[in-house]
Amino acid sequence: MKFDVIVVGGGPSGLMAAIQAAKRGAAVLLIEKGQKLGRKLILSGGGRCNVTNRRPVDEIIKHIPGNGRFLYSAFHEFNNEDIIRFFENLGVSLKEEDHGRMFPVSNDARSVAEALIHRLKQLNVKIYTNTTVKKLIYEKSATTGVILQSGEKISAKAVIVAVGGKAVPRTGSTGDGYAWAKDAGHTITELYPTEVPLISEETFIKQRLLQGISLRDVSLSVLNQKKKPVITHQMDMIFTHFGISGPAALRCSMFVQRELKKQQPVMMKLDLFPELSSAEIMQKVLSLLKNSPKKALKNALHSLEQEKLLLFLLAQAELDPEQVCQQASPKRLEVFCALLKDFRFFVSGTLSFDKAFVTGGGVSVKEIIPQEMASKCKDGLYFCGEILDINGYTGGYNITCALVTGYVAGEHAGERAYTK
Ligand SMILES: Cc1cc2nc3c(=O)[nH]c(=O)nc-3n(C[C@H](O)[C@H](O)[C@H](O)COP(=O)(O)OP(=O)(O)OC[C@H]3O[C@@H](n4cnc5c(N)ncnc54)[C@H](O)[C@@H]3O)c2cc1C
C-alpha cells in the first residue's frame, strides 16, 4: 500500500499533523506503537489537559525558553487562538483559568483526544495502532517510507516524525526518533529532563525539616557563579523530601541544568516576600515585635510564616523562638529579616525523565525550515512536537508547540503530495 504521507506517533503533534495533511487531500497513514492514541495527552494537565494558553503570541514565545523564537513563522500560520477555534469547531469548548491557561470545559483530557481522533476518522486517515516504526527509509536525498518492527516496508512521498521526546517513557515517548534524525544527517542537541523537580543535598532537606511546606507566590532565582540571578520566577513552590518542586521550581529547572554544566552544586535564592522591600519587611517584623514585647518570638511572629518555616528561619538566624521579643538581639533580627528576602540553598540535580514534564534538547532547529517544519537534510522529511529542540514552561505551552508544529508539518507534507 502506498501513502502520500506517513505520520509516526499519535501524540498531539502527530494527530494534528495527520489531520492537516488529510485536509490538504493527502492519503495519510498514522502509525502509533501504543494500543491507544494520545496517551500522554490524556494524562496531561492532571487529566484535564491544559491544551493551550490565551496570552498574546509574544508572551507565548517568552514562555518557551527552549528556542521559542524559532516558532514565530509557525505561529504566523497557526497560533494559540487558532487552536482555540479549532477545538470549538470540533465541539470542544475551552475555558480560561489563571495565567491564561486554557482547559476543556469538560475538565476531561479525553474529550480533547477523542475530538482529534474523531476528526482523523472523518478525514479517512488510516490508523495503525500497536505498530512500532523501526526506522525510516532514505534513498539518496529523499525520504521514501518507513520500516516497521515486523520488517514490513511502507512507502510514502513524505514522512512526519512526531514521536515525542523521552519524558515519561511509559506513555510511549522513548526517544526512538533521535536515531532516525541522526541517520538523516541531523544534529541532536543534548537531551535532558526539564520542567522537573530539583534535588538538594542540603541538611535541612535530608532531615526533612521543611518537607510539605507549600509557599504561595514566592520568588525563586537560579544564581550563576558570580551569584547573580540567571532567571527568577515568581510562582508557587513546595519543599519535598528530596528538594523542591511546584511551578517556580519546574520553571527554574532548565536554567539549573544549564548552570550544572558550569558549577556543582547550583545556588538558589528564595525571596519569601517579593512584594516587599528589605526595609519594608524589617519594618513589618519590628512592628510585630513592638506590638507584643513580652511574647516569645515564635508567637509574636506567627502571622509572618507557617510555623515550621518560621522556626527553621529563626534557628538559621540563631534566634531562640522562646525568647521574649524585647530581649532579641537586633543584629540577629537583621539576619532573620535578610533571610526572609534572601534565603540561599544549593541544588545538585533534577529528577529523571520519568518525572519530567518535558524533554530539553532534541533535533536542532537550525536544520529545520521554520515555515514548513521540513528537514534541511532530506527531502520529504518533517519533524514536529517534542522531538524538536523546543521546550516550554508548564502552562499549556508544550501542547501548543506540539499542535502548532504539527499543523505546519501536516500542511506542508500534505501539499507535497500534489507537487510530487
Ligand atoms: C504528566 C504530563 C503532563 C503534561 N501536561 C501538559 C499540559 O497540561 N499542557 C501542556 O502544554 N503540556 C503538558 N505536558 C507536555 C506535553 O504533554 C508534551 O509536550 C506533548 O505531549 C508532546 O507531544 P508530541 O506529540 O510531540 O509527543 P507525545 O505526546 O510524546 O507522543 C508521541 C507518540 O509517539 C509514539 N511513538 C514513539 N515512538 C514510536 C515508534 N517507534 N513508532 C510508533 N509510534 C511511536 C508514542 O507512543 C507516543 O504516543 C505534560 C507532560 C507530562 C509528562
Side-chain angles (χ1 to χ4, degrees):
M1 208 166 174
K2 189 162 166 74
F3 292 91
D4 293 324
V5 178
I6 294 174
V7 179
V8 190
S13 68
L15 293 170
M16 183 56 108
I19 288 171
Q20 198 51 30
K23 266 169 96 177
R24 296 287 292 162
V28 182
L29 168 65
L30 173 66
I31 305 178
E32 164 57 49
K33 76 172 165 189
Q35 204 181 340
K36 283 190 175 157
L37 298 170
R39 272 183 294 173
K40 193 177 276 183
L41 192 61
I42 289 167
L43 286 183
S44 70
R48 296 199 305 134
C49 185
N50 181 188
V51 71
T52 189
N53 195 289
R54 191 125 225 189
R55 289 187 161 128
V57 167
D58 280 342
E59 278 296 305
I60 302 256
I61 301 277
K62 274 190 204 149
H63 285 76
I64 305 172
N67 290 318
R69 282 163 55 174
F70 170 79
L71 293 172
Y72 269 115
S73 340
F75 269 88
H76 204 68
E77 202 164 329
F78 191 73
N79 63 29
N80 51 331
E81 291 297 330
D82 294 319
I83 292 174
I84 295 166
R85 267 191 297 276
F86 172 86
F87 281 107
E88 298 275 344
N89 287 337
L90 294 187
V92 180
S93 305
L94 303 181
K95 56 170 171 167
E96 184 174 343
E97 295 193 0
D98 56 340
H99 306 285
R101 297 182 307 151
M102 300 297 292
F103 290 88
V105 171
S106 63
N107 281 325
D108 187 352
R110 280 175 303 187
S111 63
V112 173
E114 279 162 12
L116 289 165
I117 295 164
H118 181 67
R119 187 75 183 117
L120 280 181
K121 290 183 177 162
Q122 267 183 346
L123 290 163
N124 294 318
V125 171
K126 182 94 187 144
I127 302 168
Y128 291 175
T129 49
N130 283 319
T131 307
T132 303
V133 168
K134 192 172 165 201
K135 53 194 223 173
L136 270 51
I137 307 169
Y138 303 119
E139 289 172 22
K140 295 197 182 124
S141 65
T143 314
T144 57
V146 302
I147 302 178
L148 304 182
Q149 198 74 56
S150 62
E152 187 188 340
K153 289 184 183 175
I154 310 176
S155 305
K157 292 178 191 165
V159 176
I160 303 176
V161 179
V163 293
K166 293 178 80 171
V168 191
R170 71 187 161 86
T171 61
S173 325
T174 45
D176 300 9
Y178 302 120
W180 311 339
K182 260 194 197 160
D183 285 347
H186 282 276
T187 310
I188 311 299
T189 60
E190 195 178 339
L191 304 170
Y192 57 88
T194 186
E195 298 307 297
V196 64
L198 303 173
I199 298 170
S200 173
E201 306 292 335
E202 293 276 3
T203 313
F204 72 89
I205 294 288
K206 294 202 146 178
Q207 292 178 343
R208 303 187 174 199
L209 295 183
L210 302 180
Q211 183 182 346
I213 289 185
S214 182
L215 302 168
R216 286 198 70 80
D217 216 22
V218 292
S219 169
L220 185 68
S221 306
V222 181
L223 304 186
N224 64 16
Q225 283 158 302
K226 291 182 178 155
K227 308 218 175 1
K228 294 269 178 293
V230 288
I231 190 81
T232 299
H233 282 293
Q234 190 172 331
M235 293 197 101
D236 299 349
M237 194 197 102
I238 182 164
F239 285 102
T240 68
H241 60 285
F242 57 78
I244 56 170
S245 189
L250 297 183
R251 286 191 176 201
C252 284
S253 61
M254 170 181 157
F255 301 89
V256 166
Q257 293 279 22
R258 281 188 188 164
E259 280 309 307
L260 282 168
K261 298 256 167 288
K262 303 176 210 156
Q263 49 165 333
Q264 285 270 4
V266 172
M267 192 182 268
M268 307 289 291
K269 171 182 162 176
L270 173 63
D271 180 350
L272 291 162
F273 293 93
E275 307 301 345
L276 300 182
S277 68
S278 298
E280 284 166 338
I281 197 71
M282 186 75 171
Q283 199 92 50
K284 192 176 163 93
V285 168
L286 290 180
S287 85
L288 285 171
L289 300 186
K290 215 166 135 198
N291 289 345
S292 323
K294 297 215 161 67
K295 273 194 185 168
L297 276 176
K298 69 169 193 192
N299 296 331
L301 296 175
H302 83 276
S303 62
L304 206 58
E305 262 311 336
Q306 301 165 54
E307 190 179 12
K308 241 195 321 188
L309 183 56
L310 179 66
L311 293 178
F312 172 76
L313 292 172
L314 286 170
Q316 293 285 305
E318 294 172 27
L319 281 165
D320 176 359
E322 306 296 341
Q323 189 174 38
V324 290
C325 295
Q326 58 193 10
Q327 284 170 6
S329 141
K331 265 231 137 32
R332 302 310 328 153
L333 281 172
E334 248 178 64
V335 174
F336 172 72
C337 291
L339 285 171
L340 293 173
K341 285 292 292 170
D342 184 355
F343 173 61
R344 297 191 182 195
F345 59 98
F346 286 107
V347 292
S348 56
T350 72
L351 293 186
S352 68
F353 277 114
D354 280 340
K355 304 281 180 211
F357 284 95
V358 190
T359 307
V363 176
S364 169
V365 293
K366 289 185 189 146
E367 296 150 3
I368 302 291
I369 301 167
Q371 297 83 358
E372 300 179 8
M373 296 300 140
S375 158
K376 290 183 185 171
C377 300
K378 289 270 186 249
D379 289 339
L381 178 61
Y382 296 79
F383 293 93
C384 55
E386 207 173 303
I387 188 170
L388 290 165
D389 179 9
I390 299 174
N391 55 279
Y393 292 137
T394 53
Y397 303 103
N398 290 294
I399 292 178
T400 300
C401 291
L403 295 172
V404 168
T405 55
Y407 179 97
V408 173
E411 173 75 16
H412 292 274
E415 189 183 291
R416 205 185 146 83
Y418 296 106
T419 50
K420 257 204 107 195

